Amino acid sequence: RCEDAGIQFSVSGSFPARLDLASADLASLLCNLLNNAVEGAMAAKIACPAAEVKVHFVTAAGRLLIQIENSALPTAQLHGKTTKSHAELHGFGTRIIQDIVKRYDGSYTLQYTGPCRVCATVDVCVQSLATGSTGKYSTSLKASRSVIS
């Protein structure tokens, strides 16, 4: 979606190959966070021509930190309300994120960090099951092409 919309997308960071975090929960966190970020960046493209989504992972002391910073306009989304039409059919992503974060003794914040900038931060407890084994992932591009090392 980013490539088609002309939104710069980058991912950086590393984390252990195995975490004490269910794959379905990690996928739900990432899916909902990324969907919100991409939608925010797409909506902000008119006012913020250099639209982008930046994802960063950090693991330390048994915790996983996911930060997603993106272009965005001030909206009701920061207050837990969807900006989509047919609101009764949308707005579940934030609740899903909050439920998962609660299960893993974590936190979720969403705040404006500057003009046309918002940052979503998830911090969850993920005691590593494999020490010293990290999968590093890094990509920075206008079109989504990844490099795994």
Side-chain angles (χ1 to χ4, degrees):
R1 283 175 52 189
C2 287
E3 181 179 12
D4 292 342
I7 296 169
Q8 178 138 0
F9 181 78
S10 64
V11 178
S12 64
S14 65
F15 49 90
R18 295 188 60 203
L19 298 172
D20 188 15
L21 175 68
S23 296
D25 288 339
L26 180 59
S28 288
L29 280 174
L30 292 174
C31 181
N32 285 295
L33 289 166
L34 288 170
N35 279 338
N36 290 347
V38 172
E39 287 175 15
M42 289 173 71
K45 269 197 79 164
I46 295 170
C48 314
E52 65 182 343
V53 173
K54 294 181 181 181
V55 182
H56 186 68
F57 300 100
V58 176
T59 305
R63 302 200 64 86
L64 172 64
L65 179 73
I66 303 169
Q67 286 187 312
I68 300 182
E69 187 174 14
N70 59 279
S71 306
L73 299 174
T75 65
Q77 195 173 22
L78 285 182
H79 306 289
K81 298 176 184 171
T82 186
T83 56
K84 298 174 187 168
S85 59
H86 304 292
E88 68 280 0
L89 302 175
H90 299 284
F92 300 105
T94 300
R95 260 184 272 155
I96 291 168
I97 293 167
Q98 291 168 337
D99 288 346
I100 293 169
V101 164
K102 185 177 179 180
R103 283 198 307 268
Y104 291 92
D105 188 30
S107 64
Y108 168 60
T109 59
L110 184 63
Q111 62 184 0
Y112 281 98
T113 57
C116 290
R117 308 290 313 156
V118 67
C119 184
T121 303
V122 166
D123 173 23
V124 290
C125 183
V126 290
Q127 294 297 321
S128 175
L129 298 175
T131 59
S133 174
T134 61
K136 291 186 178 180
Y137 182 85
S138 178
T139 182
S140 180
L141 35 102
K142 193 154 189 136
S144 185
R145 305 270 189 275
S146 62
V147 177
I148 299 175
S149 59

